[in-house]
Amino acid sequence: MSHTITPLTPHQTGAEIRGLDLSQPVSDRLRAELNAALARHGVLVFRDQDLPPERFKRAAQIFGEIMPHHRRSGDTTEDSSIFEVKNLEVAPGKYYIVGESFHTDHSNDPVPPKATVLHPVALPDRGGDTQFVNVHAAYDDLAEPMKKRIDKLLAVHVYVSQYSPRKLIKVDDDTAAHLPPPAIHPLVRIHPENGRKYLYLNPVRMDSIIGMPDDEAQALIAELMAHATQQRYEYRHQWKYGDMVIWDNRSVMHQANADYDMTQLRKLYRIMIKGQLHESDLEATRGVEVDLEQRVPS
Ligand SMILES: [Fe+2]
């Protein structure tokens, strides 16, 4: 079957792929081509896919090994591989939306996921888009003094930062018992596949920047977030049934939108793909220790 890969924005963030059936086995050559396309565009949108759970798992594994989710109670599978993203009614008329501010997934993990994959099961009539911003381009456009200022900084990522702009849903005991210790990541990292530098930001989980007072660190994070989330770095995805969307958590940040009728169910299957650390990550964090209690929301 022939297929097409079409960029979705003039700045090459996001590409649409048509003409592939991901429920079928893929050749090594196609696997390499799709992984290269992900490293180039940051987001891939496959159309017209029919992927019930087992097929969805196989399709996701084109991009690597499945990484279990930290939150274990929302999983549809016993092995924690498929998580259900949905609008949860936490109190009468009050809803919790997963991912409702720009972030990168599971950055509190010492080895954060390479990618996240979504496939819709139920969609609202309108709204509920997912936005992506390109953090390679955002880094490239920074002024040289800012690049110099941040190039060697290390941030501490916890499950939920004391400065998080939004609350996370309370974790169950089983999840809390399995959370990894806080992670230390450079603010500027190098992508292991495309070799480009990128801003690694997540206000939900970044608790501190090592060696910097918190007020200064939070002001710096806010300044970088304002820069990186400009529309010129964005691809905005409007969901259609049959989409399988994968994004590279190193190349883009993403956010969900609560701009739809909350009485309508919006549910997507989510799988994460294991990441790897670039040698510069290991180099930058070697011997660095931070004495921190792991924070879990109460
Ligand atoms: Fe997310």
Side-chain angles (χ1 to χ4, degrees):
M1 190 187 270
S2 67
H3 61 275
T4 55
I5 301 180
T6 310
L8 288 162
T9 58
H11 48 87
Q12 302 287 318
T13 309
E16 181 186 64
I17 302 184
R18 289 187 178 272
L20 281 180
D21 178 357
L22 297 178
S23 69
Q24 299 299 313
V26 298
S27 65
D28 288 347
R29 192 174 154 187
L30 178 57
R31 180 186 302 269
E33 182 190 350
L34 295 177
N35 276 276
L38 180 62
R40 176 173 161 78
H41 297 286
V43 185
L44 299 180
V45 176
F46 296 89
R47 302 288 193 188
D48 307 318
Q49 305 300 314
D50 177 19
L51 301 170
E54 282 308 311
R55 277 198 241 161
F56 181 42
K57 279 168 75 169
R58 278 205 301 278
Q61 286 172 92
I62 294 169
F63 297 93
E65 211 179 315
I66 292 175
M67 173 177 175
H69 288 83
H70 287 174
R71 249 179 66 200
R72 296 152 75 94
S73 57
D75 294 321
T76 56
T77 50
E78 280 183 6
D79 58 1
S80 300
S81 58
I82 300 183
F83 182 87
E84 287 186 353
V85 174
K86 60 186 172 191
N87 47 339
L88 286 175
E89 191 171 18
V90 288
K94 207 175 160 210
Y95 290 85
Y96 174 76
I97 306 297
V98 178
E100 202 192 349
S101 66
F102 274 109
H103 65 283
T104 180
D105 285 336
H106 280 45
S107 68
N108 59 310
D109 198 289
V111 186
K114 161 185 169 169
T116 304
V117 202
L118 291 180
H119 182 56
V121 180
L123 293 170
D125 293 340
R126 61 180 66 82
D129 297 352
T130 303
Q131 290 161 272
F132 301 94
V133 287
N134 189 318
V135 286
H136 292 303
Y139 174 80
D140 291 346
D141 288 349
L142 288 173
E144 285 307 316
M146 178 59 100
K147 285 183 180 170
K148 278 208 173 64
R149 182 180 172 205
I150 65 173
D151 256 348
K152 301 278 182 244
L153 294 178
L154 299 174
V156 178
H157 295 244
V158 297
Y159 183 78
V160 60
S161 166
Q162 60 189 310
Y163 303 110
S164 173
R166 59 184 160 92
K167 283 193 168 155
L168 299 190
I169 207 157
K170 188 181 184 312
V171 298
D172 59 280
D173 292 346
D174 185 34
T175 296
H178 288 86
L179 282 176
I184 300 167
H185 300 298
L187 209 65
V188 178
R189 302 176 69 190
I190 298 174
H191 192 290
E193 288 161 57
N194 65 26
R196 295 179 70 187
K197 286 189 172 180
Y198 62 97
L199 286 171
Y200 196 64
L201 298 169
N202 187 355
V204 175
R205 305 205 194 267
M206 291 171 92
D207 208 48
S208 62
I209 293 176
I210 294 176
M212 190 179 278
D214 278 7
D215 54 352
E216 196 183 320
Q218 290 302 312
L220 175 61
I221 293 166
E223 183 180 349
L224 293 170
M225 285 298 292
H227 166 72
T229 56
Q230 294 177 81
Q231 213 171 1
R232 64 184 158 133
Y233 302 126
E234 181 182 294
Y235 164 63
R236 184 175 183 124
H237 185 68
Q238 289 180 292
W239 288 96
K240 290 191 177 74
Y241 285 109
D243 288 350
M244 185 182 102
V245 174
I246 180 165
W247 66 86
D248 188 315
N249 280 303
R250 291 83 51 101
S251 298
V252 295
M253 287 190 287
H254 61 284
Q255 76 170 1
N257 283 279
D259 59 350
Y260 57 95
D261 178 355
M262 286 294 142
T263 63
Q264 297 184 354
L265 178 65
R266 179 181 182 272
K267 180 164 102 170
L268 304 99
Y269 287 149
R270 181 174 77 178
I271 287 177
M272 293 192 306
I273 303 297
K274 280 185 186 172
Q276 80 235 62
L277 298 177
H278 188 272
E279 62 188 42
S280 62
D281 293 326
L282 299 169
E283 189 70 30
T285 56
R286 188 166 294 138
V288 178
E289 279 180 32
V290 173
D291 184 17
L292 252 188
E293 289 284 302
Q294 182 167 332
R295 284 201 181 84
V296 173
S298 55

